[in-house]
Amino acid sequence: METIGQDQIIIATAGHVDHGKTTLIKALTGIDTDSTEAEKKRGLTINLGFAFFDLPNHEQVGIVDVPGHEKFLKNMIAGLSGIDLVLLVVDAAEGIMPQTIEHVDIMSLLGIDNYIVVLSKIDTVDDEMKELVTEDVKDFLDKHKIDAPILDVDAISGTGMKELIKVMDEKIENIEKPKVNDIPRINVDRSFSIKGFGTIVTGTLLEGELNTDMTLEAFPSGKQTKIRNIQVHDRNVKRAEPGTRTAINLTNLKTSEIRRGDVLTLPDNIKKTWMLDVDYKMLPDKDANLLGLWTRVRVYLGAREIIARVVPLGIEQIDADKDNYLQLRLEEPVAVKKGDRYILRTYSPMVLIGGGSVLDPNPDKHRRFNEKVLKQLSVKASGNQEQIVLDFLDNSSALGSKIPELADYLNLSNDDVQKMISDLVKQKEVVKISGLIIKKSKLEDFDKEILDTLWNYHKKNRLQKGMPKEELITKFKISVDDNKIMEKILKKMAELGQINILGSLIAAGDFEVKYNKYQQKAHDEIISELNKSPLMPPNFDDLIGSDKTKEEVLKAIEGEEVLRLGEKNVMLKSAFDEVSKKVVDYLKENETMTLAEFRDLTGASRKYGMMTLEYMDKLGITRRKENMRILAKKEL
């Protein structure tokens, strides 16, 4: 068992039907990719064919032989996920043909621009014809802004094969694999069954690693399965890495439960969607009137064909010379990632008209001319990852996001996102609090929202020193569901003097309790009344009666100057502290105290003595033992 690494190169053939793609691959690899009887009988590739071979200066590469006939375009598109290099095969006797043009258009829409042009069957034409076709190919490449070598090759006689292999090796040396997400994802392009093994699926591993025994989820069905075995190029491997053509033997999944176009990934990695926000580029020779509001189209995503309706955003009519934004309303759900490429064909007749990339794989339904949405789409389409992160953080309903969530959104690795965030922290665009990434301006707005909440509380409770911390935290649960993060935000605000933390209360930084003359009078009367008989705590109702001002003041000083011993009785805190000290000193010397001894020590009546001792028990100062009191353990 072995591992085949991420530098695995995938090469695709492209070109018109019968221009020699399959023959060329057989000459390179010894493998006949026309595998079905129908293909052999008809002399053309219907399904995707796969082969592999070793280049002189590079490890094994995979080759995808895609169909050249226009009726099999869907299969051709399915094979192009993860392609690094294209062999554009052109018959030296025919030159550029309709499928040659269409294949190159598809490649451009999928963002593939690395080519070698193979002028095939070169031994079947004379020099004059070869020169004419070569000029035809050069004009075609110039028109499509493709910089590619043109090689004379005859796969049957062997002419030019060594030179082709040499150039392929040189091209591959300069290929840089894109950085991808750490979570495995594969677009299934074949699904079949082998007796004794069960369900097998194949596809290019777009990102992440696959391991045996890994649990995967199939989308859009949501069915879970486990990997029994992995093969890369007919070899069993322990692990498959990004960029490899992979065959996976799955358990607990019937072939009827997974099909071409489905996606395999970790559970909960992606979500099904019935809508996509995309950027769209019309092919230059197509009529923009082919696409309008509610036009029915065929959408090709990964290995999937879906019917959809088109909703142009921000424009009345598609502009063939510019990038456009669309919302695609799908007739079947899909599961894709931001940045995935797609292609559009008209519904009927089927004409290739354009394509682009997914900007938002799980959008809301938009109004067509929503300026905020259009601005967000513009940022997403720019490709500036830092700006995309800032836009995401700014428009998220949560206060911030963590690295894995951002990596998933950007479809990048955690390490790459971590480096990007470090740069944004240095630029003072974002801040990190306990692993939460927050846009600086959004945190400032959040701080202001906290202050506004506190001031609203102060206006309604002018005599309260502050708002209960738990009540404040609860109000912001939707934005911040982690109490530790909220505590750190409050601590930071306190350090800046924006707020004061008063034990379990929070107050705005410049707030202070101020009594008016009526409140001050009520305060003085309450304290005076409690001082008359400090150890005989009166009933709440007897103390304030129906006086609303006294009620408000008593509530404000409760816990500070006054303690509520029971449900209704209140006592001066200073009086309670004094009697508590006497009790503690007595117990330290005598170990136990009866209610009678408490009365003798303090002069309090039995009723109020019992009330005071029970409150001391509640606070953990004393503990009842039979009919006596002893010091609680924390006081020993």
Side-chain angles (χ1 to χ4, degrees):
M1 300 279 280
E2 57 186 303
T3 297
I4 296 181
Q6 186 176 343
D7 59 350
Q8 169 82 45
I9 299 298
I10 306 296
I11 299 169
T13 59
H16 195 73
V17 61
D18 204 29
H19 274 208
K21 298 184 296 298
T22 304
T23 304
L24 176 65
I25 289 177
K26 187 174 181 179
L28 286 168
T29 68
I31 298 171
D32 185 356
T33 55
D34 274 350
S35 56
T36 70
E37 288 301 316
E39 287 168 340
K40 293 180 185 298
K41 184 176 180 180
R42 296 172 65 176
L44 55 84
T45 302
I46 299 172
N47 287 306
L48 299 168
F50 306 102
F52 46 88
F53 74 109
D54 293 320
L55 285 169
N57 299 317
H58 198 274
E59 70 174 67
Q60 196 171 76
V61 298
I63 295 188
V64 181
D65 183 17
V66 298
H69 195 280
E70 63 89 12
K71 288 185 180 179
F72 309 123
L73 180 63
K74 180 171 71 171
N75 291 350
M76 181 260 181
I77 294 170
L80 293 178
S81 296
I83 296 302
D84 302 296
L85 176 64
V86 178
L87 300 181
L88 183 62
V89 182
V90 180
D91 190 326
E94 294 190 354
I96 303 299
M97 296 291 283
Q99 270 74 61
T100 317
I101 299 169
E102 190 163 51
H103 282 198
V104 169
D105 283 342
I106 290 169
M107 299 291 178
S108 68
L109 293 171
L110 294 175
I112 302 169
D113 58 6
N114 193 19
Y115 289 88
I116 296 173
V117 178
V118 177
L119 212 54
S120 66
K121 308 180 187 179
I122 199 67
D123 288 352
T124 65
V125 299
D126 56 29
D127 290 345
E128 184 178 356
M129 175 60 76
K130 183 179 76 172
E131 187 176 342
L132 285 171
V133 171
T134 301
E135 287 303 313
D136 181 32
V137 170
K138 287 180 178 177
D139 290 343
F140 174 76
L141 295 178
D142 288 343
K143 180 182 177 182
H144 287 78
K145 299 178 181 178
I146 296 172
D147 181 16
I150 303 172
L151 304 180
D152 298 341
V153 176
D154 195 297
I156 294 176
S157 69
T159 300
M161 291 299 293
K162 288 183 179 179
E163 176 64 14
L164 173 60
I165 290 172
K166 178 175 177 290
V167 174
M168 289 171 69
D169 226 357
E170 291 170 353
K171 275 271 190 182
I172 285 170
E173 286 300 320
N174 296 319
I175 290 174
E176 289 188 18
K177 282 285 190 179
K179 295 176 180 178
V180 293
N181 199 317
D182 298 325
I183 301 174
R185 180 168 64 113
I186 184 169
N187 286 330
V188 176
D189 51 39
R190 285 196 301 174
S191 172
F192 53 94
S193 177
I194 297 178
K195 191 174 182 180
F197 292 91
T199 300
I200 311 288
V201 299
T202 67
T204 299
L205 182 55
L206 301 177
E207 52 207 25
E209 293 182 352
L210 288 178
N211 299 283
T212 52
D213 295 326
M214 181 179 279
T215 297
L216 300 176
E217 188 169 353
F219 288 87
S221 72
K223 291 186 176 293
Q224 291 198 3
T225 181
K226 186 172 281 191
I227 298 176
R228 176 185 285 133
N229 188 38
I230 303 171
Q231 281 196 350
V232 176
H233 299 164
D234 293 340
R235 289 181 287 176
N236 292 330
V237 296
K238 294 179 180 178
R239 183 174 72 248
E241 296 190 4
T244 53
R245 278 294 310 172
T246 307
I248 312 169
N249 185 196
L250 300 172
T251 65
N252 304 318
L253 197 67
K254 300 175 184 176
T255 52
S256 60
E257 294 175 323
I258 189 163
R259 56 176 177 149
R260 170 179 289 180
D262 286 358
V263 176
L264 282 170
T265 185
L266 294 187
D268 302 320
N269 177 36
I270 50 181
K271 295 189 294 184
K272 290 191 298 185
T273 182
W274 292 81
M275 292 185 291
L276 298 171
D277 282 351
V278 300
D279 60 12
Y280 174 75
K281 181 69 176 176
M282 199 92 182
L283 287 172
D285 59 339
K286 304 303 179 185
D287 183 357
N289 291 316
L290 288 171
L291 205 61
L293 181 61
W294 302 120
T295 300
R296 204 164 186 233
V297 293
R298 298 175 186 270
V299 184
Y300 299 89
L301 273 159
R304 189 92 180 271
E305 178 190 56
I306 316 104
I307 308 302
R309 297 281 184 179
V310 172
V311 179
L313 300 176
I315 49 174
E316 291 290 354
Q317 178 60 47
I318 297 295
D319 189 333
D321 298 321
K322 294 181 180 178
D323 290 330
N324 303 267
Y325 301 128
L326 311 175
Q327 184 162 88
L328 299 176
R329 308 276 175 86
L330 309 171
E331 295 185 9
E332 297 177 64
V334 297
V336 299
K337 287 279 193 176
K338 180 183 175 300
D340 284 1
R341 293 277 184 161
Y342 75 95
I343 286 170
L344 287 191
R345 295 170 86 192
T346 52
Y347 180 72
S348 182
M350 291 186 286
V351 177
L352 182 70
I353 53 175
S357 61
V358 175
L359 300 180
D360 189 340
N362 300 97
D364 295 323
K365 190 177 288 187
H366 308 308
R367 296 198 314 273
R368 292 183 60 204
F369 295 91
N370 185 320
E371 286 301 322
K372 182 180 178 182
V373 169
L374 293 171
K375 183 179 178 182
Q376 288 177 282
L377 292 175
S378 178
V379 171
K380 291 171 183 175
S382 70
N384 185 320
Q385 301 286 26
E386 289 188 354
Q387 289 302 314
I388 292 171
V389 164
L390 293 175
D391 178 75
F392 176 78
L393 292 173
D394 202 29
N395 289 286
S396 171
S397 59
L399 178 62
S401 299
K402 296 195 174 182
I403 294 292
E405 183 182 6
L406 291 172
D408 182 58
Y409 177 73
L410 294 168
N411 211 18
L412 295 174
S413 70
N414 286 351
D415 288 344
D416 288 331
V417 174
Q418 184 68 65
K419 290 173 186 174
M420 187 191 309
I421 294 303
S422 295
D423 290 339
L424 288 171
V425 169
K426 289 176 185 176
Q427 297 167 28
K428 297 184 178 179
E429 292 282 359
V430 302
V431 295
K432 286 180 72 175
I433 300 176
S434 293
L436 192 71
I437 316 302
I438 311 170
K439 190 176 179 185
K440 188 171 182 290
S441 59
K442 192 170 184 178
L443 182 58
E444 290 169 351
D445 290 341
F446 187 72
D447 291 349
K448 184 178 181 300
E449 193 176 348
I450 289 174
L451 285 172
D452 289 344
T453 301
L454 288 172
W455 276 113
N456 285 335
Y457 182 87
H458 292 324
K459 287 174 184 175
K460 294 176 183 176
N461 305 274
R462 294 181 181 276
L463 300 186
Q464 299 294 312
K465 286 192 171 182
M467 182 178 186
K469 184 192 290 185
E470 287 304 314
E471 183 180 342
L472 179 66
I473 290 175
T474 300
K475 282 185 176 291
F476 291 93
K477 274 285 185 187
I478 295 175
S479 299
V480 183
D481 60 2
D482 187 329
N483 284 6
K484 290 182 180 178
I485 291 173
M486 192 67 183
E487 291 276 4
K488 289 195 175 185
I489 291 172
L490 294 175
K491 183 180 178 183
K492 179 227 17 148
M493 293 179 71
E495 289 169 354
L496 295 173
Q498 295 173 300
I499 63 172
N500 289 318
I501 299 177
L502 310 166
S504 63
L505 301 177
I506 307 287
D510 50 357
F511 173 77
E512 58 180 311
V513 175
K514 291 182 179 179
Y515 291 158
N516 60 32
K517 63 181 182 179
Y518 304 106
Q519 292 163 340
Q520 188 63 55
K521 181 174 180 290
H523 171 273
D524 294 343
E525 288 176 357
I526 290 171
I527 300 300
S528 175
E529 187 64 27
L530 291 175
N531 264 319
K532 288 178 181 178
S533 300
L535 299 183
M536 297 177 64
N539 182 282
F540 182 89
D541 294 334
D542 292 339
L543 182 65
I544 64 170
S546 59
D547 192 324
K548 294 296 182 183
T549 303
K550 280 187 177 180
E551 182 180 357
E552 182 183 22
V553 171
L554 183 59
K555 183 180 177 183
I557 63 176
E558 191 175 311
E560 296 290 332
E561 296 180 72
V562 172
L563 300 177
R564 188 185 289 259
L565 296 194
E567 190 171 325
K568 291 196 172 183
N569 295 83
V570 293
M571 183 179 195
L572 281 173
K573 186 175 184 300
S574 58
F576 178 81
D577 290 343
E578 183 179 342
V579 76
S580 294
K581 185 176 185 309
K582 286 182 180 180
V583 171
V584 170
D585 289 343
Y586 183 90
L587 287 172
K588 283 181 178 178
E589 184 175 342
N590 299 282
E591 293 189 359
T592 64
M593 172 186 280
T594 64
L595 181 57
E597 288 169 336
F598 177 83
R599 291 202 316 268
D600 293 342
L601 179 68
T602 62
S605 68
R606 176 183 177 85
K607 173 183 174 183
Y608 293 115
M610 180 62 73
M611 193 180 295
T612 304
L613 284 173
E614 287 178 350
Y615 190 69
M616 291 179 69
D617 293 343
K618 182 179 177 182
L619 295 182
I621 299 171
T622 57
R623 182 163 58 87
R624 184 168 182 167
K625 185 178 182 182
E626 297 175 351
N627 64 341
M628 297 178 292
R629 290 300 189 290
I630 61 174
L631 281 176
K633 286 184 179 180
K634 70 177 185 178
E635 290 290 342
L636 294 177

